[in-house]
Amino acid sequence: MNIQIIGTKKCNGTKKAQRFFKERNINFRFKDLNEKNISKGELENISRVVDEDRLIDKESKQYKKRGLEFMVYNLEEELLNDGLLLKTPIVRNGTKVTVGVEEKIWKEWLC
């Protein structure tokens, strides 16, 4: 398994994802969006599996703070420039991707 968790240290969903894999002794890489944004290549790979519209968190403080609900914007550009707009956690296992806490799917990956 090649698990990558993308999120923030304060995000409860991200903490749940980390705990899920730690409890099962599965190593993972963690990318903190407060420290480094998602790259164009990462976003493209994720977007092949998950529709970009599902990646933006329209309920987040960052979305509201930036006033995006009142703007017309390029979704890819906004996600690349501001990783805090992403719905987290994003969990990758090779080419498989989940957005949010998806323990049922993660358990399927273990089989």
Side-chain angles (χ1 to χ4, degrees):
M1 292 186 88
N2 186 16
I3 302 295
Q4 179 185 29
I5 299 173
I6 301 170
T8 63
K9 291 177 183 174
K10 291 185 177 182
C11 170
N12 288 330
T14 300
K15 290 177 188 176
K16 284 181 183 179
Q18 290 174 323
R19 187 171 45 252
F20 177 89
F21 291 103
K22 278 181 186 174
E23 287 174 352
R24 289 156 179 82
N25 294 318
I26 296 171
N27 293 328
F28 59 86
R29 290 175 289 122
F30 173 63
K31 181 172 203 159
D32 187 345
L33 294 170
N34 281 314
E35 296 174 9
K36 188 173 181 184
N37 278 341
I38 194 165
S39 72
K40 185 174 177 77
E42 285 175 314
L43 183 58
E44 287 172 355
N45 288 334
I46 292 167
S47 296
R48 286 186 188 118
V49 181
V50 178
D51 186 48
E52 279 186 353
D53 288 335
R54 285 191 47 222
L55 293 176
I56 193 162
D57 188 354
K58 293 182 178 179
E59 302 299 317
S60 72
K61 291 178 188 175
Q62 190 71 1
Y63 186 85
K64 292 173 183 168
K65 176 181 165 187
R66 303 246 336 261
L68 292 175
E69 67 262 39
F70 306 111
M71 297 170 59
V72 175
Y73 55 88
N74 179 302
L75 182 57
E76 179 181 0
E77 189 176 299
E78 292 299 328
L79 292 175
L80 288 173
N81 290 329
D82 190 349
L84 297 178
L85 292 171
L86 288 164
K87 208 175 274 186
T88 57
I90 297 173
V91 181
R92 297 176 65 192
N93 178 19
T95 58
K96 300 172 187 165
V97 180
T98 61
V99 178
V101 177
E102 297 284 353
E103 289 188 23
K104 182 179 177 187
I105 295 171
W106 302 337
K107 285 178 184 175
E108 291 172 10
W109 292 352
L110 302 176
C111 298

